[in-house]
Amino acid sequence: DLSVKFLFLPDAVSLNGHEFRVGQQYKNELLKAYGCSPLNYFDAAKWRNEESLTIDAMESFRRFAESSNKGPISLNHRYLLEDVPMGLCLFCSLGRIAHVDTSIAESIVRLTSALLNEDFIATGRTIENMLGKNNGEVKIQDVMDIIA
């Protein structure tokens, strides 16, 4: 039924944030591999979205979910055209280099590539593409040299 609207927040993401906690676990494994401290998604979101940091992080998340853009109505949207090739591809690249599982993110990249008929694995922003190297040629130290 095309008359039913699908809203990413809250239809695909429960407002208890379970889906974000799963992603946070993967992200924190990646941060650890590069010698960084773990980051709580909800605290970070509160820092981005609130003027007062005294507000409960989950309350801040719920308010953001209720007031935010409800999602794209077309595949030609920055969530797919920008966030996937610029953000998720980089995340996956960092995971490959550090031997950290990013299979869920890689699945999203592959699905988006198929939907938009563009190989974001080949064309997206990856450490390998930025350094002009092939998969397997980049080491963690190469990444650390970039950000140092």
Side-chain angles (χ1 to χ4, degrees):
D1 179 5
L2 295 177
S3 65
V4 176
K5 282 190 174 183
F6 171 80
L7 304 177
F8 182 72
L9 288 171
D11 291 343
V13 178
S14 63
L15 292 183
N16 71 12
H18 170 73
E19 298 82 356
F20 289 97
R21 286 188 182 93
V22 170
Q24 175 178 280
Q25 175 186 344
Y26 290 115
K27 188 182 293 183
N28 282 335
E29 288 175 25
L30 192 56
L31 288 169
K32 181 180 174 185
Y34 286 95
C36 300
S37 299
L39 179 65
N40 179 286
Y41 174 85
F42 301 102
D43 288 336
K46 177 175 71 172
W47 182 82
R48 285 190 313 266
N49 298 318
E50 298 293 341
E51 290 183 24
S52 170
L53 297 181
T54 61
I55 296 170
D56 176 71
M58 284 305 295
E59 178 59 29
S60 174
F61 172 72
R62 285 185 189 94
R63 288 186 350 191
F64 170 77
E66 291 167 3
S67 67
S68 71
N69 178 343
K70 300 307 179 200
I73 59 171
S74 159
L75 292 177
N76 290 319
H77 192 278
R78 78 163 187 83
Y79 289 174
L80 301 177
L81 297 171
E82 296 174 19
D83 293 357
V84 170
M86 298 297 120
L88 276 184
C89 287
L90 181 60
F91 180 79
C92 294
S93 172
L94 290 167
R96 264 192 313 279
I97 293 164
H99 305 287
V100 172
D101 177 31
T102 60
S103 57
I104 292 172
E106 288 173 24
S107 296
I108 295 169
V109 171
R110 291 183 192 285
L111 179 60
T112 304
S113 293
L115 289 170
L116 297 176
N117 197 31
E118 180 169 346
D119 184 359
F120 287 126
I121 303 249
T123 63
R125 180 172 50 182
T126 66
I127 298 296
E128 295 89 349
N129 288 346
M130 289 189 279
L131 295 178
K133 295 185 176 185
N134 294 319
N135 287 343
E137 293 180 357
V138 181
K139 306 298 179 219
I140 288 180
Q141 188 56 51
D142 296 322
V143 176
M144 301 308 283
D145 291 344
I146 292 170
I147 61 175

PDB file of all heavy atoms in Angstrom, residues 103-126:
ATOM      1  N   SER A 103      30.627  -5.752   9.332  1.00  0.00           N
ATOM      2  CA  SER A 103      29.781  -6.441   8.349  1.00  0.00           C
ATOM      3  C   SER A 103      28.399  -5.821   8.199  1.00  0.00           C
ATOM      4  O   SER A 103      27.853  -5.801   7.091  1.00  0.00           O
ATOM      5  CB  SER A 103      29.661  -7.929   8.690  1.00  0.00           C
ATOM      6  OG  SER A 103      29.158  -8.101  10.000  1.00  0.00           O
ATOM      7  N   ILE A 104      27.825  -5.297   9.270  1.00  0.00           N
ATOM      8  CA  ILE A 104      26.507  -4.677   9.144  1.00  0.00           C
ATOM      9  C   ILE A 104      26.619  -3.411   8.291  1.00  0.00           C
ATOM     10  O   ILE A 104      25.824  -3.195   7.370  1.00  0.00           O
ATOM     11  CB  ILE A 104      25.901  -4.376  10.529  1.00  0.00           C
ATOM     12  CG1 ILE A 104      25.582  -5.692  11.242  1.00  0.00           C
ATOM     13  CG2 ILE A 104      24.645  -3.511  10.395  1.00  0.00           C
ATOM     14  CD1 ILE A 104      25.149  -5.537  12.678  1.00  0.00           C
ATOM     15  N   ALA A 105      27.605  -2.584   8.559  1.00  0.00           N
ATOM     16  CA  ALA A 105      27.813  -1.375   7.767  1.00  0.00           C
ATOM     17  C   ALA A 105      28.135  -1.728   6.314  1.00  0.00           C
ATOM     18  O   ALA A 105      27.641  -1.085   5.386  1.00  0.00           O
ATOM     19  CB  ALA A 105      28.929  -0.525   8.371  1.00  0.00           C
ATOM     20  N   GLU A 106      28.950  -2.758   6.105  1.00  0.00           N
ATOM     21  CA  GLU A 106      29.275  -3.181   4.750  1.00  0.00           C
ATOM     22  C   GLU A 106      28.019  -3.638   4.005  1.00  0.00           C
ATOM     23  O   GLU A 106      27.878  -3.374   2.808  1.00  0.00           O
ATOM     24  CB  GLU A 106      30.311  -4.307   4.785  1.00  0.00           C
ATOM     25  CG  GLU A 106      31.692  -3.820   5.178  1.00  0.00           C
ATOM     26  CD  GLU A 106      32.687  -4.958   5.376  1.00  0.00           C
ATOM     27  OE1 GLU A 106      32.483  -6.047   4.798  1.00  0.00           O
ATOM     28  OE2 GLU A 106      33.657  -4.734   6.111  1.00  0.00           O
ATOM     29  N   SER A 107      27.109  -4.290   4.714  1.00  0.00           N
ATOM     30  CA  SER A 107      25.844  -4.708   4.090  1.00  0.00           C
ATOM     31  C   SER A 107      25.035  -3.501   3.633  1.00  0.00           C
ATOM     32  O   SER A 107      24.435  -3.520   2.553  1.00  0.00           O
ATOM     33  CB  SER A 107      25.019  -5.543   5.074  1.00  0.00           C
ATOM     34  OG  SER A 107      25.690  -6.729   5.391  1.00  0.00           O
ATOM     35  N   ILE A 108      25.020  -2.464   4.449  1.00  0.00           N
ATOM     36  CA  ILE A 108      24.294  -1.244   4.078  1.00  0.00           C
ATOM     37  C   ILE A 108      24.941  -0.602   2.854  1.00  0.00           C
ATOM     38  O   ILE A 108      24.247  -0.160   1.938  1.00  0.00           O
ATOM     39  CB  ILE A 108      24.233  -0.270   5.271  1.00  0.00           C
ATOM     40  CG1 ILE A 108      23.399  -0.880   6.396  1.00  0.00           C
ATOM     41  CG2 ILE A 108      23.670   1.088   4.840  1.00  0.00           C
ATOM     42  CD1 ILE A 108      23.498  -0.131   7.713  1.00  0.00           C
ATOM     43  N   VAL A 109      26.271  -0.585   2.812  1.00  0.00           N
ATOM     44  CA  VAL A 109      26.976  -0.024   1.650  1.00  0.00           C
ATOM     45  C   VAL A 109      26.640  -0.828   0.400  1.00  0.00           C
ATOM     46  O   VAL A 109      26.329  -0.263  -0.656  1.00  0.00           O
ATOM     47  CB  VAL A 109      28.503   0.020   1.887  1.00  0.00           C
ATOM     48  CG1 VAL A 109      29.236   0.405   0.603  1.00  0.00           C
ATOM     49  CG2 VAL A 109      28.848   0.979   3.019  1.00  0.00           C
ATOM     50  N   ARG A 110      26.676  -2.146   0.503  1.00  0.00           N
ATOM     51  CA  ARG A 110      26.384  -2.991  -0.664  1.00  0.00           C
ATOM     52  C   ARG A 110      24.932  -2.840  -1.126  1.00  0.00           C
ATOM     53  O   ARG A 110      24.664  -2.765  -2.320  1.00  0.00           O
ATOM     54  CB  ARG A 110      26.707  -4.446  -0.356  1.00  0.00           C
ATOM     55  CG  ARG A 110      28.190  -4.701  -0.216  1.00  0.00           C
ATOM     56  CD  ARG A 110      28.500  -6.168   0.008  1.00  0.00           C
ATOM     57  NE  ARG A 110      29.872  -6.361   0.404  1.00  0.00           N
ATOM     58  CZ  ARG A 110      30.919  -6.278  -0.394  1.00  0.00           C
ATOM     59  NH1 ARG A 110      30.743  -6.001  -1.665  1.00  0.00           N
ATOM     60  NH2 ARG A 110      32.136  -6.474   0.061  1.00  0.00           N
ATOM     61  N   LEU A 111      24.002  -2.775  -0.191  1.00  0.00           N
ATOM     62  CA  LEU A 111      22.598  -2.596  -0.549  1.00  0.00           C
ATOM     63  C   LEU A 111      22.379  -1.242  -1.215  1.00  0.00           C
ATOM     64  O   LEU A 111      21.715  -1.147  -2.246  1.00  0.00           O
ATOM     65  CB  LEU A 111      21.717  -2.729   0.695  1.00  0.00           C
ATOM     66  CG  LEU A 111      20.221  -2.535   0.475  1.00  0.00           C
ATOM     67  CD1 LEU A 111      19.674  -3.543  -0.513  1.00  0.00           C
ATOM     68  CD2 LEU A 111      19.477  -2.628   1.802  1.00  0.00           C
ATOM     69  N   THR A 112      22.972  -0.202  -0.651  1.00  0.00           N
ATOM     70  CA  THR A 112      22.844   1.130  -1.240  1.00  0.00           C
ATOM     71  C   THR A 112      23.479   1.169  -2.628  1.00  0.00           C
ATOM     72  O   THR A 112      22.928   1.763  -3.553  1.00  0.00           O
ATOM     73  CB  THR A 112      23.484   2.192  -0.328  1.00  0.00           C
ATOM     74  OG1 THR A 112      22.878   2.107   0.964  1.00  0.00           O
ATOM     75  CG2 THR A 112      23.307   3.586  -0.887  1.00  0.00           C
ATOM     76  N   SER A 113      24.622   0.508  -2.782  1.00  0.00           N
ATOM     77  CA  SER A 113      25.274   0.428  -4.095  1.00  0.00           C
ATOM     78  C   SER A 113      24.349  -0.222  -5.120  1.00  0.00           C
ATOM     79  O   SER A 113      24.228   0.265  -6.245  1.00  0.00           O
ATOM     80  CB  SER A 113      26.578  -0.375  -3.992  1.00  0.00           C
ATOM     81  OG  SER A 113      27.533   0.296  -3.217  1.00  0.00           O
ATOM     82  N   ALA A 114      23.698  -1.293  -4.718  1.00  0.00           N
ATOM     83  CA  ALA A 114      22.788  -1.980  -5.634  1.00  0.00           C
ATOM     84  C   ALA A 114      21.581  -1.108  -5.966  1.00  0.00           C
ATOM     85  O   ALA A 114      21.177  -1.021  -7.124  1.00  0.00           O
ATOM     86  CB  ALA A 114      22.330  -3.301  -5.022  1.00  0.00           C
ATOM     87  N   LEU A 115      21.018  -0.448  -4.968  1.00  0.00           N
ATOM     88  CA  LEU A 115      19.842   0.397  -5.193  1.00  0.00           C
ATOM     89  C   LEU A 115      20.140   1.572  -6.114  1.00  0.00           C
ATOM     90  O   LEU A 115      19.306   1.966  -6.925  1.00  0.00           O
ATOM     91  CB  LEU A 115      19.302   0.926  -3.867  1.00  0.00           C
ATOM     92  CG  LEU A 115      18.622  -0.096  -2.956  1.00  0.00           C
ATOM     93  CD1 LEU A 115      18.365   0.508  -1.587  1.00  0.00           C
ATOM     94  CD2 LEU A 115      17.334  -0.591  -3.589  1.00  0.00           C
ATOM     95  N   LEU A 116      21.336   2.142  -5.988  1.00  0.00           N
ATOM     96  CA  LEU A 116      21.682   3.333  -6.769  1.00  0.00           C
ATOM     97  C   LEU A 116      22.570   3.022  -7.973  1.00  0.00           C
ATOM     98  O   LEU A 116      22.981   3.932  -8.693  1.00  0.00           O
ATOM     99  CB  LEU A 116      22.366   4.368  -5.871  1.00  0.00           C
ATOM    100  CG  LEU A 116      21.481   4.902  -4.739  1.00  0.00           C
ATOM    101  CD1 LEU A 116      22.264   5.845  -3.845  1.00  0.00           C
ATOM    102  CD2 LEU A 116      20.256   5.602  -5.302  1.00  0.00           C
ATOM    103  N   ASN A 117      22.865   1.729  -8.176  1.00  0.00           N
ATOM    104  CA  ASN A 117      23.675   1.299  -9.309  1.00  0.00           C
ATOM    105  C   ASN A 117      25.026   2.019  -9.355  1.00  0.00           C
ATOM    106  O   ASN A 117      25.452   2.503 -10.405  1.00  0.00           O
ATOM    107  CB  ASN A 117      22.907   1.478 -10.628  1.00  0.00           C
ATOM    108  CG  ASN A 117      23.536   0.688 -11.751  1.00  0.00           C
ATOM    109  OD1 ASN A 117      24.122  -0.373 -11.513  1.00  0.00           O
ATOM    110  ND2 ASN A 117      23.426   1.191 -12.968  1.00  0.00           N
ATOM    111  N   GLU A 118      25.658   2.095  -8.194  1.00  0.00           N
ATOM    112  CA  GLU A 118      27.009   2.674  -8.101  1.00  0.00           C
ATOM    113  C   GLU A 118      27.797   1.876  -7.080  1.00  0.00           C
ATOM    114  O   GLU A 118      27.314   1.618  -5.980  1.00  0.00           O
ATOM    115  CB  GLU A 118      26.975   4.137  -7.692  1.00  0.00           C
ATOM    116  CG  GLU A 118      28.374   4.713  -7.606  1.00  0.00           C
ATOM    117  CD  GLU A 118      28.433   6.212  -7.474  1.00  0.00           C
ATOM    118  OE1 GLU A 118      27.418   6.879  -7.710  1.00  0.00           O
ATOM    119  OE2 GLU A 118      29.508   6.707  -7.137  1.00  0.00           O
ATOM    120  N   ASP A 119      29.006   1.505  -7.423  1.00  0.00           N
ATOM    121  CA  ASP A 119      29.852   0.710  -6.531  1.00  0.00           C
ATOM    122  C   ASP A 119      30.538   1.631  -5.520  1.00  0.00           C
ATOM    123  O   ASP A 119      31.649   2.104  -5.746  1.00  0.00           O
ATOM    124  CB  ASP A 119      30.878  -0.081  -7.346  1.00  0.00           C
ATOM    125  CG  ASP A 119      31.719  -1.001  -6.480  1.00  0.00           C
ATOM    126  OD1 ASP A 119      31.534  -1.020  -5.243  1.00  0.00           O
ATOM    127  OD2 ASP A 119      32.573  -1.703  -7.049  1.00  0.00           O
ATOM    128  N   PHE A 120      29.859   1.882  -4.413  1.00  0.00           N
ATOM    129  CA  PHE A 120      30.418   2.778  -3.398  1.00  0.00           C
ATOM    130  C   PHE A 120      31.651   2.196  -2.725  1.00  0.00           C
ATOM    131  O   PHE A 120      32.469   2.932  -2.197  1.00  0.00           O
ATOM    132  CB  PHE A 120      29.361   3.136  -2.347  1.00  0.00           C
ATOM    133  CG  PHE A 120      28.311   4.084  -2.860  1.00  0.00           C
ATOM    134  CD1 PHE A 120      26.969   3.762  -2.760  1.00  0.00           C
ATOM    135  CD2 PHE A 120      28.657   5.290  -3.443  1.00  0.00           C
ATOM    136  CE1 PHE A 120      25.987   4.626  -3.225  1.00  0.00           C
ATOM    137  CE2 PHE A 120      27.697   6.162  -3.917  1.00  0.00           C
ATOM    138  CZ  PHE A 120      26.355   5.832  -3.803  1.00  0.00           C
ATOM    139  N   ILE A 121      31.800   0.873  -2.746  1.00  0.00           N
ATOM    140  CA  ILE A 121      33.014   0.268  -2.195  1.00  0.00           C
ATOM    141  C   ILE A 121      34.217   0.748  -3.015  1.00  0.00           C
ATOM    142  O   ILE A 121      35.273   1.031  -2.474  1.00  0.00           O
ATOM    143  CB  ILE A 121      32.912  -1.269  -2.230  1.00  0.00           C
ATOM    144  CG1 ILE A 121      31.678  -1.709  -1.480  1.00  0.00           C
ATOM    145  CG2 ILE A 121      34.205  -1.916  -1.758  1.00  0.00           C
ATOM    146  CD1 ILE A 121      31.784  -2.421  -0.219  1.00  0.00           C
ATOM    147  N   ALA A 122      34.036   0.877  -4.329  1.00  0.00           N
ATOM    148  CA  ALA A 122      35.126   1.316  -5.207  1.00  0.00           C
ATOM    149  C   ALA A 122      35.263   2.834  -5.246  1.00  0.00           C
ATOM    150  O   ALA A 122      36.373   3.358  -5.371  1.00  0.00           O
ATOM    151  CB  ALA A 122      34.915   0.774  -6.624  1.00  0.00           C
ATOM    152  N   THR A 123      34.138   3.562  -5.146  1.00  0.00           N
ATOM    153  CA  THR A 123      34.188   5.014  -5.355  1.00  0.00           C
ATOM    154  C   THR A 123      34.072   5.829  -4.074  1.00  0.00           C
ATOM    155  O   THR A 123      34.314   7.031  -4.086  1.00  0.00           O
ATOM    156  CB  THR A 123      33.051   5.464  -6.299  1.00  0.00           C
ATOM    157  OG1 THR A 123      31.783   5.186  -5.678  1.00  0.00           O
ATOM    158  CG2 THR A 123      33.145   4.770  -7.645  1.00  0.00           C
ATOM    159  N   GLY A 124      33.693   5.199  -2.964  1.00  0.00           N
ATOM    160  CA  GLY A 124      33.482   5.938  -1.726  1.00  0.00           C
ATOM    161  C   GLY A 124      34.778   6.407  -1.091  1.00  0.00           C
ATOM    162  O   GLY A 124      35.882   6.020  -1.501  1.00  0.00           O
ATOM    163  N   ARG A 125      34.630   7.225  -0.064  1.00  0.00           N
ATOM    164  CA  ARG A 125      35.802   7.733   0.660  1.00  0.00           C
ATOM    165  C   ARG A 125      36.314   6.637   1.584  1.00  0.00           C
ATOM    166  O   ARG A 125      35.708   6.320   2.599  1.00  0.00           O
ATOM    167  CB  ARG A 125      35.440   8.975   1.471  1.00  0.00           C
ATOM    168  CG  ARG A 125      36.655   9.517   2.243  1.00  0.00           C
ATOM    169  CD  ARG A 125      36.421  10.828   2.909  1.00  0.00           C
ATOM    170  NE  ARG A 125      35.203  10.831   3.708  1.00  0.00           N
ATOM    171  CZ  ARG A 125      34.770  11.891   4.367  1.00  0.00           C
ATOM    172  NH1 ARG A 125      35.429  13.023   4.330  1.00  0.00           N
ATOM    173  NH2 ARG A 125      33.658  11.832   5.074  1.00  0.00           N
ATOM    174  N   THR A 126      37.428   6.063   1.194  1.00  0.00           N
ATOM    175  CA  THR A 126      38.102   5.056   2.004  1.00  0.00           C
ATOM    176  C   THR A 126      39.544   5.481   2.196  1.00  0.00           C
ATOM    177  O   THR A 126      40.076   6.284   1.422  1.00  0.00           O
ATOM    178  CB  THR A 126      38.070   3.665   1.333  1.00  0.00           C
ATOM    179  OG1 THR A 126      38.852   3.715   0.134  1.00  0.00           O
ATOM    180  CG2 THR A 126      36.650   3.218   1.015  1.00  0.00           C
TER     181      THR A 126
END
